[in-house]
Each structure stands twice: as C-alpha cells, then as structure tokens.
Amino acid sequence: MNLEIFHRQKIIYFISFFLYNFARVLPHAVLTVILLNKGMTVGNIAIIQSFFMLAGILFEFPSGVLTDLWLEKYVYIISLFLLFISYYIILLSSDFYLLCLSWFIYGISNATMNSSLEMYFLRTYQNDSYKIKKFNIQFNNVNLYSTLVGGGIGSFIYEFSGNGIYYISIVFIIISALMIILFFGKTTKGKQSESSISSIMKDIKIIYQNQQLLLNIILMAIFQIIIQIFFQFWQVIFLNINFDKKYFGIFYILFQLVAIGANYIFKKFNWNKSYYLLILLISITFILINLLSNQSMFMFVLILFLLPFNIYSNQVIVDIQKLVPGKIMSSLMSFVGTLCSISSIIILWGIGVFDKVFSFKQIVVILILLFMIFSIVIVRIITNKKID
C-alpha cells in the first residue's frame, strides 16, 4: 500500500472519528439527568442501558464477520446512520419502551463501529506490537480529546437547549459521514476478499488454541464490572454525595484530562507485568469513592482511581490485539465485544433487580469485590501459563 495514501486515510479517519465521537458524547455528561427528567428511575435506567449491551451480544460478532467479508468503510457509514436514528428517537420520545429501542439501535451502531475502520488500520500492522500500541495511543488521544470537548461542553449546552442538544449531535454525525464518503477513498482487502464465513469461523478457533489470548479476553469481560458501574452511574454517585448537576460538565472534562494523562503514562512504560498492582489500585480506590462523604477527599481519590483504570484498560486491549491474526481481526475483536456485552448486560440487569433489595452503595461494593477476586485469579492463571 502507498504509505502517503495510507497516512492520508488515517488523518481523514481520525478527523471523522473525532466528529463522530464529539456528537456521540455531547449528551453524556448529563445523560442520567436527561433520563431522570424523562421520568425514569435508577432501575429503569439500568434496564434501558442493558438494551445497548443486548444489541452488542446480538450484533457485535456478526458485524465483525461482515467487516472481514465486506469493506470497513461501508460498515463505518452504517454505524453512523444507526446512531442518527437512535439519537432522533431520544430527541422525540419520553416513553420507556421507545428509549429501550433507541439504546438497542445505539448498541448496534456501537457494535458496527467497533469492527469498522479501526480494524482496517490494525489489520495492516500485522501483529506488530510496537505499531499496534502506537496506533492505540493515537486513537485513544483522538477519542479522549473528542470526548473532552463534546462531553465537556455538553452539560452547558443542555442548560440552554434541553433535549435540543441532540439536534447538534445529529448535525455532527452527518458531517462525520460525509468526511468518509467524500474523502476517505476505497479500502481494499486483497486476499481477505477470498474469506468466507466458514473459513472465518474455522480461524476463530484460535481462541481455544491460544490460552493466553483466551484468558486476556476473560479479563476484559470481568473488567466490564468496573466500566459499567462507573460510566453508567457516575452521575448517580456524584448526586449521592450532593454535587450540583450543573458542574457535571466540569467533572466530565476532568475525567478526560486524567485519561489523557494516563494515556501518556501508558505510552512511557510497559504495564503488562503490573496487572496485580493495577487491579488492587482500581478496587481499593473505587470502594473508597463510594464510601467517602467529604467532597474534596472524594475528588482526590477519584483521580487516583481514574489513572490505573485507564492504564489497565489500555494494556488489556493491547495484549489482546497483539495476539489476534490480522485476517480475522474484525471477527475476533467483535467476538471479544460480544463477551463483554454479555458480561455488561448481566451486571446491569443485576443492578436493576437488586436495586429493590440493597442500597446502590452496597451493590457497588459487592461488585467491586467480585471484580478484584475474579481478576486476580485470572491473572494468576495467566502468569502460571507464561511460566509453564
């Protein structure tokens, strides 16, 4: 492939992805507030969010197979179209069932996005650990800066426009799609065009043959416990400690700034031998976050939590990607996404059910302890396998 064309494609992709992610996260800093204002309870919100995960279970792997058989560019555009539909429904409706439908469509959009153009570039690097990590750092920066800008100003826009914030998101979704349609050019598969569903399914068996890959995938599935609690309910946690919702945009900016710092630290050091430390730091600080009542101490511990949280997430993803054959990159990474979606939906449904029996804080502490125990056991098994 012509390196100049490849570099140009990567720049266009990053610009388009920046606009897409900006549009996607614009309402996120006030998402729980939006749903609460639509008459939803915490239990309702957990169920609504679970439809996002359900869509991932049903469509993540098929979309990955589709990408391995088709062109990544087309799958990317389909993802943007589905997000457009999802946000349009949220804009117009306050009905619980329509909101579930919207999050389901949003989940399909996310599933197809995960297996689209990002896989095109990762496939090109042919399991080169250095290039894969470098691309992940670049991609993470684009993702984090777009999240920083979009999520950061989203709460302020919401103060003036209310649900009209979704109109702005829709405009940027359209611009993102036009960037790829008009300027990206064609993606070619070469020998990949000879792939068939049967050959892809046969190659997927590598998961069972490579136990280190399998264990890392399980580790990522377990990590969904922390991811879902934090990203789906951080606003509930902040409200419980009496933070004013008008500052949520500032907090969202803080999250991204810490994540950017964590990405820089991740770039400078090798963390694949620090799993135990990261797991313990994540678990202890997250439990403290849910128990503290002093706001200043809460914010200090929150930053201590976000640093290992982001580093750990990056390292597990890189460790998986470097073990995946390029020719089935989309299919296998989508399979990983499917397992994570199954894990996530179990967590969200569990919160939705036990919310009627236990307090939210009790549920969170129990789940964090489960994450810590299961993760340490899996890391121990991985370590023993490497020794053997």
Side-chain angles (χ1 to χ4, degrees), residues 16 18-31 34 80-81 83-88 90-91 106 150-151 153-155 157-158 161-177:
S16 174
F18 184 97
L19 296 173
Y20 149 78
N21 200 49
F22 171 86
R24 184 182 67 87
V25 305
L26 199 61
H28 277 200
V30 288
L31 191 55
I34 290 172
L80 292 172
F81 176 70
L83 182 62
F84 172 93
I85 295 174
S86 171
Y87 275 20
Y88 191 71
I90 298 173
L91 175 65
Y106 182 17
I153 68 175
S155 63
I157 294 175
Y158 180 74
S161 65
N163 289 347
I165 192 173
Y166 283 98
Y167 281 121
I168 301 173
S169 290
I170 287 170
V171 169
F172 279 94
I173 291 169
I174 294 172
I175 296 173
S176 176

Side-chain angles (χ1 to χ4, degrees), residues 194-212:
E194 301 174 3
S195 296
S196 65
I197 292 178
S198 59
S199 65
I200 289 173
M201 295 302 294
K202 182 178 180 180
D203 288 331
I204 288 291
K205 291 181 180 179
I206 187 175
I207 295 175
Y208 303 102
Q209 298 168 355
N210 188 327
Q211 293 187 339
Q212 186 179 345

Side-chain angles (χ1 to χ4, degrees), residues 118-126 132 135 321 329:
E118 182 186 357
M119 296 300 109
Y120 167 69
F121 293 101
L122 288 171
R123 194 194 312 274
T124 306
Y125 297 133
Q126 294 294 322
I132 287 175
F135 176 81
Q321 289 175 343
M329 176 70 74

Side-chain angles (χ1 to χ4, degrees), residues 223-237:
F223 189 48
Q224 299 308 305
I225 294 175
I226 303 297
I227 291 176
Q228 294 308 314
I229 295 173
F230 183 70
F231 283 116
Q232 305 296 353
F233 297 104
W234 71 266
Q235 294 166 43
V236 174
I237 295 171

